[in-house]
Amino acid sequence: MSVLRRPYVLFVALFLLVAGCSAGAAETSAPRGAAGPESSAAPSVPPSASAPVAPARPAEIPGLGPQTQAQIPAGARQAVVVTGDGVDSNRSAVVLYTRDDPDIGWRPGAGPWSAHNGMKGWSDHHLADDLRSPVGVFGLTDAGGRLPDPGALLPYDEHPRFAVSGEGFFGEPLDGSFDYVVAINYNRVSGVSPLDRTRPLGEERGGGIWLHVDHGGPTQGCVSLPEDRMTELLRTLDPAKHPVIVMGDAASLSR
């Protein structure tokens, strides 16, 4: 009897082993939480191509607001920016900016340099003898001085009438202040010597506003720089680049 029962036992064991493995596979083939064929989960989407990068905007001159920026002619490629310490301050800083490539925009070319302006600061409505420098954007087209031309690119008028004497507001000597000048086109006719006294806005609106050599103190309304900076400007300001001066106290320029 024992010989006949052994094959039967072996057959039953094999059957249970096969049934157990197939049952386990069925239970683990679709674990809970997995997305199967009936799942509503969104199908994977291949990453889209990178969005195009917008071109960088041309650089603008720091500190200038939209109103001031709009006054700079489109054709200007040099800008002398004079930023006053305050509306009533006679101290300022000067930076020369260039715009050789319109796509790149404005870039600093020289400076900052310390400078003086009108004794009483700045004015949006400059008047003769108010001792304030006019705020605005003005062309730079003509130069001159008592000393010989140092290599200016602008038309240069050497004349002894640029001599000046006396004392400034702090008792400093004025000698040599007009050795080199660049006329600022406020209330003047461009294309003539800085000595020309034609005043299109009338005498009451002042005139004779120049960039000139610093004498160590405030001015009547001009902007003054050390002599070496004046010669650098004269050798750099190029009429082919239509240079302008942007001048005023920081608050006014930020408008």
Side-chain angles (χ1 to χ4, degrees):
M1 294 294 292
S2 60
V3 174
L4 294 176
R5 293 172 61 182
R6 285 176 183 172
Y8 174 78
V9 173
L10 182 59
F11 173 79
V12 171
L14 289 172
F15 175 80
L16 292 175
L17 180 61
V18 172
C21 290
S22 61
E27 292 174 359
T28 60
S29 60
R32 292 182 180 179
E38 303 295 328
S39 172
S40 60
S44 60
V45 179
S48 60
S50 299
V53 178
R57 295 179 59 186
E60 297 181 344
I61 297 175
L64 303 189
Q67 179 179 321
T68 305
Q69 291 275 5
Q71 296 179 56
I72 301 176
R77 290 188 285 150
Q78 289 179 322
V80 179
V81 179
V82 184
T83 306
D85 290 350
V87 67
D88 297 322
S89 173
N90 54 54
R91 300 305 300 264
S92 47
V94 176
V95 179
L96 173 64
Y97 286 88
T98 61
R99 180 169 58 176
D100 292 327
D101 186 342
D103 292 333
I104 296 176
W106 292 103
R107 296 186 299 174
W113 305 326
S114 296
H116 282 99
N117 52 271
M119 173 66 179
K120 294 186 177 181
W122 299 90
S123 174
D124 285 316
H125 189 78
H126 174 71
L127 298 173
D129 302 322
D130 68 1
L131 302 183
R132 292 181 179 271
S133 299
V135 174
V137 178
F138 311 102
L140 300 173
T141 57
D142 307 285
R146 185 180 65 85
L147 297 182
D149 185 349
L153 300 179
L154 296 173
Y156 187 90
D157 178 28
E158 178 189 349
H159 203 286
R161 286 176 56 200
F162 284 104
V164 62
S165 59
E167 293 183 344
F169 293 101
F170 299 154
E172 73 280 8
L174 300 179
D175 294 344
S177 298
F178 301 156
D179 282 354
Y180 300 117
V181 311
V182 176
I184 294 171
N185 289 354
Y186 166 80
N187 198 19
R188 72 178 297 269
V189 177
S190 63
V192 298
S193 169
L195 294 169
D196 186 274
R197 293 190 57 83
T198 304
R199 303 288 183 254
L201 300 177
E203 293 291 332
E204 71 279 2
R205 294 297 304 276
I209 306 297
W210 297 343
L211 283 161
H212 65 70
V213 176
D214 188 71
H215 48 75
T219 71
Q220 298 274 342
C222 298
V223 175
S224 60
L225 288 163
E227 182 174 342
D228 57 344
R229 301 309 185 191
M230 280 300 301
T231 56
E232 183 175 350
L233 275 182
L234 286 167
R235 294 166 180 162
T236 304
L237 295 176
D238 186 349
K241 296 184 178 182
H242 309 288
V244 297
I245 186 168
V246 183
M247 53 192 285
D249 59 284
S252 295
L253 295 183
S254 68
R255 294 180 295 203

